[in-house]
Amino acid sequence: MTDNHPHLDKQSDDIRKMFAGIAHRYDILNRFLSGWVDTHWRRLTVRLAPPTMVGPLLDVCTGTGDLVLGYQRKYPDRMTIGTDFCREMLHFAHKKALPVQGPKPLFLEADTLGLPFGDNHFALTSVAFGLRNTQNPHLALREMCRVTRPGGRLAVLEFSMPTWPVLGQVYRWYFQTVLPRVGQAFSKSPASAYGYLPQSVKKFPQGQELCSWIREAGWESVTHRPFTMGIATLYTANKPFVG
Ligand SMILES: C[S@@+](CC[C@H](N)C(=O)[O-])C[C@H]1O[C@@H](n2cnc3c(N)ncnc32)[C@H](O)[C@@H]1O
């Protein structure tokens, strides 16, 4: 499997294995640990980050496919593709797409750091809670830009830490103490994605800093909008027509 992914190094392989270990419980744990708010954030993303032009839609690090399924429901006439390098996560994405009436998203095993698509192909490229997990987010943003059509759109949904003083403290306690324990207990994963989650969110840039990363990767008109008092943030941008 590693041979399919030219960029897959040790760290990426660990990430892939970690998600393979929790794939069977990923959806239910997401719902439970977020109080079902994660589904609301993806719905908001589909509504607030519509494609700016005709053409197919791509969701990278698609996992079990929730965001690409949201885009497919809203834009049933478009071709939609979800990619991820974790086969076990894609297995559940496939299963969820089975009852969908009409055209379904296409799910492909692919590394976000070396997407198997030509330049300027997609009208919109999205990623939800995945950018932070890639081994090289700068390269991931550049790859997403490369495969997007000039004038096309980027949507990045990512966790952030709330800036409100009291809520921030309560949330930090929940996020750093409760969530990893519950997540680990229920997923029965030895390499716990839920222990790693708070650390990775703490280390990952948010707000203006992530906007700068997005600009550096070649995007323009970058915006960010906090959801639910800043627990998650939606970043949008466009690919320039020239340059
Ligand atoms: C936290 S999950 C997010 C899944 C989904 N987007 C969601 O909204 O629930 C992160 C996903 O990113 C995938 N991932 C991490 N690095 C990747 C890479 N370099 N290429 C492809 N997928 C990657 C993992 O396999 C995992 O399925």
Side-chain angles (χ1 to χ4, degrees):
M1 196 140 127
T2 311
D3 293 342
N4 297 339
H5 306 293
H7 296 274
L8 214 102
D9 57 11
K10 173 81 173 73
Q11 197 185 335
S12 297
D13 200 37
D14 288 346
I15 292 168
R16 190 179 55 72
K17 282 188 185 138
M18 182 177 71
F19 282 103
I22 59 160
H24 63 300
R25 294 267 167 93
Y26 179 79
D27 282 347
I28 187 65
L29 272 165
N30 260 0
R31 306 298 175 262
F32 178 67
L33 291 169
S34 75
W36 262 254
V37 180
D38 67 311
T39 55
H40 170 64
W41 292 333
R42 291 193 197 79
R43 266 200 306 276
L44 274 178
T45 299
V46 172
R47 183 149 62 80
L48 297 173
T52 46
M53 55 173 58
V54 293
L57 314 179
L58 172 69
D59 182 47
V60 303
C61 301
T62 197
T64 58
D66 279 337
L67 186 58
V68 75
L69 284 161
Y71 272 111
Q72 175 76 71
R73 261 192 299 277
K74 176 110 194 221
Y75 302 99
D77 298 336
R78 306 269 186 139
M79 175 177 211
T80 52
I81 300 180
T83 58
D84 200 287
F85 68 10
C86 179
R87 198 173 288 178
E88 290 78 359
M89 293 288 271
L90 290 177
H91 168 76
F92 291 96
H94 275 294
K95 271 177 84 167
K96 273 155 71 177
L98 286 177
V100 172
Q101 300 290 319
K104 302 178 199 316
L106 187 66
F107 290 107
L108 298 175
E109 197 180 338
D111 191 342
T112 305
L113 306 185
L115 290 168
F117 307 109
D119 298 352
N120 307 326
H121 191 67
F122 294 97
L124 173 139
T125 307
S126 62
V127 59
F129 309 113
L131 185 63
R132 175 178 36 85
N133 289 298
T134 63
Q135 196 260 338
N136 185 341
H138 298 281
L139 178 55
L141 286 166
R142 282 203 300 276
E143 266 299 271
M144 292 171 78
C145 190
R146 179 185 67 75
V147 300
T148 304
R149 294 182 180 179
R153 171 158 284 175
L154 170 75
V156 178
L157 178 60
E158 196 42 91
F159 282 115
S160 38
M161 293 308 272
T163 43
W164 293 24
V166 176
L167 176 82
Q169 274 179 3
V170 174
Y171 183 71
R172 263 182 205 89
W173 170 77
Y174 171 76
F175 200 60
Q176 290 171 13
T177 312
V178 180
L179 183 145
R181 289 186 187 160
V182 177
Q184 182 143 17
F186 280 88
S187 66
K188 299 198 172 82
S189 161
S192 174
Y194 294 90
Y196 150 92
L197 175 65
Q199 308 309 323
S200 68
V201 173
K202 249 178 32 192
K203 277 199 275 176
F204 200 66
Q206 62 181 69
Q208 286 302 344
E209 197 183 347
L210 188 49
C211 288
S212 301
W213 283 25
I214 294 172
R215 254 180 243 111
E216 282 161 23
W219 300 91
E220 66 177 14
S221 310
V222 186
T223 68
H224 67 110
R225 176 175 177 149
F227 292 161
T228 320
M229 294 173 285
I231 293 172
T233 300
L234 171 65
Y235 302 81
T236 63
N238 292 338
K239 178 164 172 175
F241 281 97
V242 284

